[in-house]
Amino acid sequence: FELFGDSTWCKKVMKRKGVRVLGLSYGIEERDLWSEKMSNVFKMETRLYDCFIPPERSPPIARKAPNATRSCEDYSGHCYETPYQSFRICLGPTAGIREGRQYETLQQHLVGRP
């Protein structure tokens, strides 16, 4: 088992070969330790969403965090060993623009996923 804060994962299941799992993380703010963990421990690609945090305060949203370019083992900053994509989009009950922010639905993000 892998423990992280109040979350626990079965390593045997998370590291199965031939299964392409995608991590979706919403409201990441400045740093998203969950998505870094998914990337660096389980080698899972992630998609990060936040329409509130200014990009200059969040290296992943600004696309400035290492992105599958290095080992993160001895790196103390934001770092992803597996590719991530970041979006200035929030999750909402309906898609659209509200108060100048773009919202999409979970259903939209799951299209084409098994």
Side-chain angles (χ1 to χ4, degrees):
F1 289 96
E2 178 78 26
L3 304 174
F4 181 67
D6 60 355
S7 300
T8 304
W9 296 275
C10 174
K11 287 183 183 181
K12 186 175 181 181
V13 171
M14 293 297 288
K15 293 186 177 185
R16 285 192 329 206
K17 300 284 187 210
V19 177
R20 187 167 180 263
V21 178
L22 176 66
L24 303 174
S25 191
Y26 300 94
I28 72 159
E29 297 184 359
E30 292 178 22
R31 186 170 194 174
D32 184 29
L33 294 174
W34 180 85
S35 64
E36 287 184 55
K37 183 81 162 179
M38 295 298 102
S39 171
N40 303 339
V41 173
F42 298 118
K43 309 307 178 208
M44 180 188 302
E45 291 185 24
T46 54
R47 293 187 184 154
L48 317 177
Y49 297 88
D50 197 317
C51 67
F52 284 90
I53 192 75
E56 60 273 9
R57 289 186 37 210
S58 175
I61 289 295
R63 298 182 180 115
K64 293 184 178 177
N67 190 355
T69 58
R70 60 169 295 152
S71 168
C72 298
E73 189 174 329
D74 295 320
Y75 189 77
S76 63
H78 304 72
C79 189
Y80 291 79
E81 290 182 5
T82 308
Y84 73 87
Q85 295 176 318
S86 62
F87 304 91
R88 301 267 303 141
I89 297 169
C90 281
L91 191 66
T94 58
I97 305 291
R98 288 189 290 287
E99 297 181 18
R101 293 186 173 92
Q102 183 178 348
Y103 287 81
E104 295 178 348
T105 66
L106 182 58
Q107 183 177 8
Q108 287 175 290
H109 292 187
L110 297 177
V111 167
R113 303 292 311 164

